[in-house]
Amino acid sequence: MSALRRAMKALIRAWWAFDLAWKNGRPRRPPRLLVHIAVHPVITGFAGVLFFGGTASVGIGRIYPAVVIWGLAWGVVSYLTAIIQRQIMKHYGFLPRPTPRTPKSPMRP
């Protein structure tokens, strides 16, 4: 195992230890809204674009290219935050595991 791989594994273990210590040793069940955000990160990113871009354009009074870039940047931040929340919920077992689908037999309709 390379030194870089060992360092990454140590960093990941340190992150999960810090996360568990931050939650006082026991993770709590997340609210329904947070689970919905983690399950649908693209919708969350789009909502971030609309909210932040819309708020900036209403505040300025016009839609400038800088306002569009501002909204897109915050949409990406919202999307990445939802992805991180999804990984945290998967780690602690709060997201339902998808049931494996069995392929249909070609002989059955």
Side-chain angles (χ1 to χ4, degrees):
M1 187 181 303
S2 70
L4 180 62
R5 188 169 175 94
R6 278 194 307 262
M8 285 302 295
K9 284 191 173 196
L11 187 62
I12 290 170
R13 280 193 311 271
W15 160 255
W16 289 119
F18 168 76
D19 189 53
L20 197 59
W22 184 266
K23 296 176 179 177
N24 295 327
R26 55 183 156 72
R28 293 181 304 185
R29 184 163 253 329
R32 263 194 253 165
L33 179 64
L34 194 59
V35 172
H36 182 74
I37 286 171
V39 171
H40 304 289
V42 175
I43 295 172
T44 303
F46 187 66
V49 167
L50 290 178
F51 176 75
F52 289 107
T55 304
S57 65
V58 167
I60 293 173
R62 298 191 72 183
I63 298 177
Y64 291 113
V67 171
V68 173
I69 292 171
W70 171 263
L72 289 174
W74 278 105
V76 169
V77 169
S78 301
Y79 171 78
L80 293 175
T81 303
I83 294 293
I84 290 169
Q85 283 299 318
R86 176 187 272 191
Q87 293 302 319
I88 290 172
M89 286 183 204
K90 275 185 186 177
H91 178 77
Y92 290 122
F94 291 132
L95 284 183
R97 304 264 187 247
T99 57
R101 294 186 178 186
T102 57
K104 290 185 178 180
S105 173
M107 301 304 269
R108 290 188 197 168

CSV table of all heavy atoms in Angstrom, one decimal, residues 37-64:
chain,number,residue,atom,x,y,z
A,37,ILE,N,-33.3,16.4,1.0
A,37,ILE,CA,-32.2,17.2,0.3
A,37,ILE,C,-31.1,16.2,-0.1
A,37,ILE,O,-30.6,16.4,-1.2
A,37,ILE,CB,-31.7,18.3,1.3
A,37,ILE,CG1,-32.8,19.4,1.3
A,37,ILE,CG2,-30.4,18.8,0.8
A,37,ILE,CD1,-32.5,20.5,2.3
A,38,ALA,N,-30.7,15.3,0.8
A,38,ALA,CA,-29.7,14.4,0.5
A,38,ALA,C,-30.0,13.4,-0.6
A,38,ALA,O,-29.2,13.0,-1.4
A,38,ALA,CB,-29.3,13.6,1.7
A,39,VAL,N,-31.3,13.1,-0.7
A,39,VAL,CA,-31.7,12.1,-1.8
A,39,VAL,C,-31.8,12.8,-3.1
A,39,VAL,O,-31.6,12.2,-4.2
A,39,VAL,CB,-33.1,11.5,-1.4
A,39,VAL,CG1,-33.7,10.6,-2.5
A,39,VAL,CG2,-32.9,10.6,-0.1
A,40,HIS,N,-32.1,14.1,-3.1
A,40,HIS,CA,-32.3,14.8,-4.4
A,40,HIS,C,-31.3,16.0,-4.5
A,40,HIS,O,-31.7,17.2,-4.4
A,40,HIS,CB,-33.7,15.4,-4.5
A,40,HIS,CG,-34.8,14.3,-4.4
A,40,HIS,ND1,-35.0,13.4,-5.3
A,40,HIS,CD2,-35.6,14.0,-3.4
A,40,HIS,CE1,-36.0,12.5,-5.0
A,40,HIS,NE2,-36.4,12.9,-3.7
A,41,PRO,N,-30.0,15.7,-4.7
A,41,PRO,CA,-29.1,16.8,-4.7
A,41,PRO,C,-29.2,17.8,-6.0
A,41,PRO,O,-28.9,18.9,-5.8
A,41,PRO,CB,-27.7,16.1,-4.7
A,41,PRO,CG,-28.0,14.8,-5.3
A,41,PRO,CD,-29.4,14.4,-4.9
A,42,VAL,N,-29.6,17.3,-7.1
A,42,VAL,CA,-29.8,18.1,-8.3
A,42,VAL,C,-30.9,19.1,-8.1
A,42,VAL,O,-30.7,20.3,-8.4
A,42,VAL,CB,-30.0,17.3,-9.5
A,42,VAL,CG1,-30.3,18.1,-10.7
A,42,VAL,CG2,-28.8,16.3,-9.8
A,43,ILE,N,-32.0,18.7,-7.5
A,43,ILE,CA,-33.1,19.6,-7.2
A,43,ILE,C,-32.6,20.7,-6.2
A,43,ILE,O,-33.0,21.8,-6.3
A,43,ILE,CB,-34.3,18.9,-6.7
A,43,ILE,CG1,-34.9,18.0,-7.8
A,43,ILE,CG2,-35.4,19.8,-6.2
A,43,ILE,CD1,-35.9,17.0,-7.4
A,44,THR,N,-31.8,20.2,-5.2
A,44,THR,CA,-31.3,21.2,-4.2
A,44,THR,C,-30.4,22.2,-4.9
A,44,THR,O,-30.5,23.4,-4.5
A,44,THR,CB,-30.5,20.4,-3.1
A,44,THR,OG1,-31.4,19.4,-2.6
A,44,THR,CG2,-30.0,21.3,-2.1
A,45,GLY,N,-29.5,21.8,-5.8
A,45,GLY,CA,-28.7,22.7,-6.5
A,45,GLY,C,-29.5,23.7,-7.3
A,45,GLY,O,-29.2,24.9,-7.3
A,46,PHE,N,-30.5,23.2,-8.0
A,46,PHE,CA,-31.3,24.1,-8.8
A,46,PHE,C,-32.1,25.1,-7.9
A,46,PHE,O,-32.2,26.3,-8.3
A,46,PHE,CB,-32.3,23.3,-9.6
A,46,PHE,CG,-33.1,24.1,-10.6
A,46,PHE,CD1,-32.5,24.7,-11.7
A,46,PHE,CD2,-34.5,24.2,-10.5
A,46,PHE,CE1,-33.2,25.5,-12.6
A,46,PHE,CE2,-35.2,25.0,-11.3
A,46,PHE,CZ,-34.6,25.6,-12.4
A,47,ALA,N,-32.5,24.6,-6.8
A,47,ALA,CA,-33.2,25.5,-5.8
A,47,ALA,C,-32.2,26.6,-5.3
A,47,ALA,O,-32.6,27.7,-5.1
A,47,ALA,CB,-33.8,24.8,-4.7
A,48,GLY,N,-30.9,26.2,-5.1
A,48,GLY,CA,-29.9,27.2,-4.7
A,48,GLY,C,-29.7,28.2,-5.8
A,48,GLY,O,-29.5,29.4,-5.4
A,49,VAL,N,-29.7,27.8,-7.0
A,49,VAL,CA,-29.5,28.7,-8.1
A,49,VAL,C,-30.6,29.7,-8.1
A,49,VAL,O,-30.4,31.0,-8.2
A,49,VAL,CB,-29.4,28.0,-9.5
A,49,VAL,CG1,-29.6,29.0,-10.6
A,49,VAL,CG2,-28.1,27.2,-9.6
A,50,LEU,N,-31.9,29.2,-8.0
A,50,LEU,CA,-33.0,30.1,-8.1
A,50,LEU,C,-33.1,31.1,-6.9
A,50,LEU,O,-33.3,32.2,-7.0
A,50,LEU,CB,-34.3,29.3,-8.1
A,50,LEU,CG,-34.6,28.6,-9.4
A,50,LEU,CD1,-35.9,27.8,-9.3
A,50,LEU,CD2,-34.7,29.6,-10.6
A,51,PHE,N,-32.8,30.5,-5.7
A,51,PHE,CA,-32.9,31.3,-4.5
A,51,PHE,C,-31.8,32.4,-4.5
A,51,PHE,O,-32.1,33.6,-4.3
A,51,PHE,CB,-32.7,30.5,-3.2
A,51,PHE,CG,-32.7,31.3,-2.0
A,51,PHE,CD1,-33.9,31.8,-1.5
A,51,PHE,CD2,-31.5,31.5,-1.3
A,51,PHE,CE1,-33.9,32.6,-0.3
A,51,PHE,CE2,-31.5,32.3,-0.1
A,51,PHE,CZ,-32.7,32.8,0.4
A,52,PHE,N,-30.5,32.0,-4.6
A,52,PHE,CA,-29.4,33.0,-4.5
A,52,PHE,C,-29.4,34.0,-5.7
A,52,PHE,O,-29.2,35.2,-5.5
A,52,PHE,CB,-28.1,32.3,-4.3
A,52,PHE,CG,-28.0,31.7,-2.9
A,52,PHE,CD1,-28.0,30.3,-2.8
A,52,PHE,CD2,-27.8,32.5,-1.8
A,52,PHE,CE1,-27.9,29.7,-1.6
A,52,PHE,CE2,-27.7,31.9,-0.6
A,52,PHE,CZ,-27.7,30.5,-0.4
A,53,GLY,N,-29.6,33.4,-6.9
A,53,GLY,CA,-29.6,34.3,-8.1
A,53,GLY,C,-30.8,35.2,-8.0
A,53,GLY,O,-30.7,36.4,-8.4
A,54,GLY,N,-32.0,34.7,-7.7
A,54,GLY,CA,-33.2,35.5,-7.6
A,54,GLY,C,-33.1,36.6,-6.5
A,54,GLY,O,-33.5,37.7,-6.8
A,55,THR,N,-32.6,36.2,-5.4
A,55,THR,CA,-32.4,37.2,-4.3
A,55,THR,C,-31.5,38.3,-4.7
A,55,THR,O,-31.8,39.5,-4.5
A,55,THR,CB,-31.9,36.6,-3.0
A,55,THR,OG1,-32.8,35.5,-2.7
A,55,THR,CG2,-31.8,37.5,-1.9
A,56,ALA,N,-30.4,38.0,-5.4
A,56,ALA,CA,-29.4,39.0,-5.8
A,56,ALA,C,-30.0,39.9,-6.9
A,56,ALA,O,-29.8,41.1,-6.9
A,56,ALA,CB,-28.1,38.3,-6.3
A,57,SER,N,-30.8,39.3,-7.9
A,57,SER,CA,-31.4,40.1,-9.0
A,57,SER,C,-32.5,41.0,-8.4
A,57,SER,O,-32.6,42.1,-8.9
A,57,SER,CB,-31.9,39.2,-10.1
A,57,SER,OG,-32.9,38.4,-9.6
A,58,VAL,N,-33.2,40.5,-7.5
A,58,VAL,CA,-34.3,41.4,-6.9
A,58,VAL,C,-33.6,42.5,-6.1
A,58,VAL,O,-34.0,43.7,-6.1
A,58,VAL,CB,-35.2,40.6,-6.0
A,58,VAL,CG1,-36.1,41.5,-5.1
A,58,VAL,CG2,-36.1,39.7,-6.8
A,59,GLY,N,-32.5,42.2,-5.4
A,59,GLY,CA,-31.8,43.2,-4.6
A,59,GLY,C,-31.2,44.3,-5.5
A,59,GLY,O,-31.2,45.5,-5.2
A,60,ILE,N,-30.6,43.9,-6.6
A,60,ILE,CA,-30.0,44.8,-7.6
A,60,ILE,C,-31.1,45.5,-8.4
A,60,ILE,O,-31.0,46.7,-8.8
A,60,ILE,CB,-28.9,44.1,-8.4
A,60,ILE,CG1,-27.8,43.7,-7.5
A,60,ILE,CG2,-28.4,45.0,-9.5
A,60,ILE,CD1,-26.7,42.9,-8.2
A,61,GLY,N,-32.0,44.8,-8.8
A,61,GLY,CA,-33.1,45.3,-9.7
A,61,GLY,C,-33.0,44.9,-11.1
A,61,GLY,O,-33.9,45.2,-11.9
A,62,ARG,N,-31.9,44.3,-11.5
A,62,ARG,CA,-31.7,43.8,-12.9
A,62,ARG,C,-30.9,42.5,-12.9
A,62,ARG,O,-30.3,42.1,-11.9
A,62,ARG,CB,-30.9,44.9,-13.7
A,62,ARG,CG,-31.6,46.2,-13.8
A,62,ARG,CD,-30.9,47.1,-14.7
A,62,ARG,NE,-31.2,46.5,-16.1
A,62,ARG,CZ,-30.7,47.1,-17.2
A,62,ARG,NH1,-29.9,48.1,-17.1
A,62,ARG,NH2,-31.0,46.6,-18.3
A,63,ILE,N,-31.0,41.9,-14.0
A,63,ILE,CA,-30.2,40.6,-14.1
A,63,ILE,C,-28.9,40.9,-14.9
A,63,ILE,O,-29.0,41.2,-16.1
A,63,ILE,CB,-31.0,39.5,-14.8
A,63,ILE,CG1,-32.3,39.2,-14.0
A,63,ILE,CG2,-30.2,38.3,-15.0
A,63,ILE,CD1,-33.2,38.2,-14.6
A,64,TYR,N,-27.8,40.9,-14.2
A,64,TYR,CA,-26.5,41.1,-14.9
A,64,TYR,C,-25.8,39.8,-15.0
A,64,TYR,O,-26.2,38.8,-14.3
A,64,TYR,CB,-25.6,42.0,-14.0
A,64,TYR,CG,-26.1,43.4,-14.0
A,64,TYR,CD1,-26.6,44.0,-12.8
A,64,TYR,CD2,-26.0,44.2,-15.1
A,64,TYR,CE1,-27.0,45.3,-12.7
A,64,TYR,CE2,-26.5,45.6,-15.1
A,64,TYR,CZ,-26.9,46.1,-13.9
A,64,TYR,OH,-27.4,47.4,-13.8
